[in-house]
């Protein structure tokens, strides 16, 4: 029987961003996209083992893009209005798109609101149905101090990624 195999894993926090060197565009991304990209960056060698259209991406996040949404909304009170560059990151799946762009991954992609347990059965199903050969699985959660106060939860800024394959 085919078994799911974690080929690589990596975890990052906001502290890791200080030493990140992923090009000039990286600094313009929202925090969730930066963390997600940094978390999958060590998997570049794993991605080379498969056709790019056979690598899926699954992203799970408890808070979606809430912190970025809040920062965008605060722009309503400043001269010039909300930032158009920040607008692109007001979707929970924005980080998923940034991973796909950077690594040229064109396989299936899924975005889940919830913890990483929500998407692991989906990833397994995706691989068993032969829709992909591997999947970059990212759990990313970003909660700023302001948002934490608004909704009554703890602050957070981290991403944990796994590259999962079906061991055939």
């Amino acid at each position: 029987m085919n078994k799911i195999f974690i080929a690589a894993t990596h975890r990052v926090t906001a502290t890791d961003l200080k030493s990140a060197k992923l090009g000039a565009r990286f600094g313009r991304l929202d925090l969730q996209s930066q963390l997600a990209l940094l978390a999958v960056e060590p998997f570049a060698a794993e991605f080379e083992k498969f056709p790019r259209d056979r690598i899926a991406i699954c992203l799970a996040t408890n808070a979606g893009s809430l912190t970025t949404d809040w920062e965008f909304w605060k722009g309503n009170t400043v001269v010039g209005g909300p930032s158009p560059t920040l607008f692109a990151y007001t979707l929970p799946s924005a980080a998923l798109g940034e991973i796909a762009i950077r690594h040229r991954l064109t396989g299936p992609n899924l975005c889940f609101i919830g913890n990483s347990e929500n998407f692991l059965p989906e990833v397994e199903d995706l691989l068993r149905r032969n829709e992909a050969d591997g999947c970059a699985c990212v759990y990313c959660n970003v909660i700023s101090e302001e948002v934490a106060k608004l909704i009554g939860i703890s602050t957070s800024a981290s991403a944990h990624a796994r590259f999962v394959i079906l061991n055939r």
Side-chain angles (χ1 to χ4, degrees):
M1 179 170 196
N2 299 334
K3 299 207 182 239
I4 297 299
F5 177 74
I6 298 173
T9 185
H10 190 229
R11 184 177 182 85
V12 296
T13 65
T15 305
D16 297 309
L17 294 175
K18 294 174 185 148
S19 60
K21 298 196 184 340
L22 296 178
R25 190 170 178 273
F26 184 74
R28 295 189 300 240
L29 307 180
D30 72 322
L31 181 56
Q32 182 161 302
S33 296
Q34 288 177 335
L35 288 168
L37 272 176
L38 196 57
V40 301
E41 197 60 23
F43 303 166
E46 294 294 327
F47 297 156
E48 295 301 323
K49 298 175 183 176
F50 304 98
R52 300 299 171 138
D53 65 341
R54 300 285 303 161
I55 300 174
I57 308 168
C58 290
L59 173 77
T61 174
N62 276 345
S65 57
L66 190 56
T67 292
T68 304
D69 298 346
W70 179 251
E71 290 302 313
F72 180 76
W73 182 254
K74 286 187 337 186
N76 283 320
T77 62
V78 298
V79 176
S83 166
T85 55
L86 197 54
F87 177 74
Y89 299 100
T90 60
L91 291 173
S93 61
L96 188 150
E98 292 295 340
I99 293 167
I101 291 166
R102 177 163 176 83
H103 294 285
R104 300 174 324 278
L105 304 179
T106 59
N109 57 72
L110 301 166
C111 181
F112 297 90
I113 305 301
N115 61 36
S116 61
E117 293 173 13
N118 294 342
F119 74 174
L120 291 177
E122 291 294 329
V123 170
E124 184 175 357
D125 188 51
L126 185 77
L127 295 173
R128 288 194 193 284
R129 283 185 282 128
N130 200 30
E131 291 185 37
D133 295 326
C135 184
C137 303
V138 183
Y139 174 68
C140 191
N141 212 33
V142 175
I143 304 289
S144 68
E145 279 190 43
E146 286 181 290
V147 170
K149 287 177 187 174
L150 284 171
I151 61 176
I153 63 172
S154 301
T155 60
S156 176
S158 65
H160 184 212
R162 295 178 183 126
F163 188 62
V164 180
I165 60 174
L166 191 62
N167 200 3
R168 299 178 195 263

